[in-house]
Amino acid sequence: AQSVTQLGSHVSVSEGALVLLRCNYSSSVPPYLFWYVQYPNQGLQLLLKYTSAATLVKGINGFEAEFKKSETSFHLTKPSAHMSDAAEYFCAVSVSVRFDRGSTLGRLYFGRGTQLTVWP
Amino acid sequence: NAGVTQTPKFQVLKTGQSMTLQCAQDMNHNSMYWYRQDPGMGLRLIYYSASEGTTDKGEVPNGYNVSRLNKREFSLRLESAAPSQTSVYFCASNSRSYNEQFFGPGTRLTVL
């Protein structure tokens, strides 16, 4: 079974401080991993994704995440927080599901989200 | 390309009323999904469709029905709305490239 755990439902940092959002996953197969960001009253936007090409993944807006297989982690970081980073962040693991009829489907399992607050 | 579009953006229903949430994508994706988002719960999968003509239940299907009308459109129907269905509903479609999902802007539904 697949699951995603995000440690800390709320994280607060000062502007200019390091941002660290934690994500641990469980997966029975090598996963694809994603971080999505949701700004207030908007849909989900892809921040970055791990596809097994490189363990350190760079995304938009200065974010990056490192895949650590031994720790089953995919933590999100940004060296210097900006006020515009205030949003909710979701970690997700994707696996392919094969049906008897031969088709396959990509299924995403989400963590519960981490609300990031940035103080001036 | 518009990506994934959803209508309506907002809706208020009374208990027992019915409605259909519409979703369309113009990326030629085979797979489409409906999620609901509730505070502290993340996104939970309601139904999904691996391809045109097929649909399957997700984690929280009770009280909902879906129709995959064609490759582009995937609708979600509430036959008899309940206050527990007050939520934000997101439609998504799936690229075969690493299973990346693309999300619509959401529908905010309130059931009184």
Side-chain angles (χ1 to χ4, degrees), chain A residues 90-107:
Chain A
F90 292 94
C91 182
V93 61
S94 174
V95 294
S96 290
V97 178
R98 183 173 294 277
F99 296 93
D100 291 340
R101 49 187 179 264
S103 61
T104 60
L105 177 100
R107 175 102 182 241

Side-chain angles (χ1 to χ4, degrees), chain A residues 12-102:
Chain A
S12 295
V13 299
S14 299
E15 194 171 22
L18 171 72
V19 175
L20 171 61
L21 305 183
R22 299 179 187 273
C23 173
N24 288 88
Y25 70 92
S26 67
S27 175
S28 56
V29 296
Y32 297 136
L33 293 159
F34 302 85
W35 276 99
Y36 284 87
V37 59
Q38 184 181 32
Y39 299 103
N41 300 314
Q42 295 188 25
L44 275 73
Q45 177 183 358
L46 182 68
L47 204 55
L48 49 80
K49 61 188 175 190
Y50 167 73
T51 60
S52 76
T55 56
L56 184 62
V57 181
K58 294 188 184 299
I60 61 173
N61 301 337
F63 284 92
E64 62 183 35
E66 186 172 9
F67 172 67
K68 292 187 177 180
K69 185 177 180 180
S70 60
E71 298 177 8
T72 60
S73 68
F74 190 55
H75 301 330
L76 182 71
T77 60
K78 182 174 181 178
S80 177
H82 191 273
M83 297 290 289
S84 61
D85 296 327
E88 189 157 22
Y89 293 79
F90 292 94
C91 182
V93 61
S94 174
V95 294
S96 290
V97 178
R98 183 173 294 277
F99 296 93
D100 291 340
R101 49 187 179 264

Side-chain angles (χ1 to χ4, degrees), chain A residues 32 34 36 38 41-44 46 49 51 88 90 94-96 99 101 103-108 110-112, chain B residues 31 33 35 37 40-43 45 48-50 54 56 58-59 90 94 98-101 103-105 108:
Chain A
Y32 297 136
F34 302 85
Y36 284 87
Q38 184 181 32
N41 300 314
Q42 295 188 25
L44 275 73
L46 182 68
K49 61 188 175 190
T51 60
E88 189 157 22
F90 292 94
S94 174
V95 294
S96 290
F99 296 93
R101 49 187 179 264
S103 61
T104 60
L105 177 100
R107 175 102 182 241
L108 273 186
F110 285 89
R112 295 194 171 194
Chain B
S31 303
Y33 310 77
Y35 294 91
Q37 182 183 25
M41 300 296 291
L43 276 78
L45 185 64
Y48 57 92
S49 170
T54 68
D56 287 285
E59 301 169 66
F90 288 100
N94 190 63
Y98 309 117
N99 292 335
E100 179 180 342
Q101 289 190 16
F103 287 82
R108 294 182 177 276

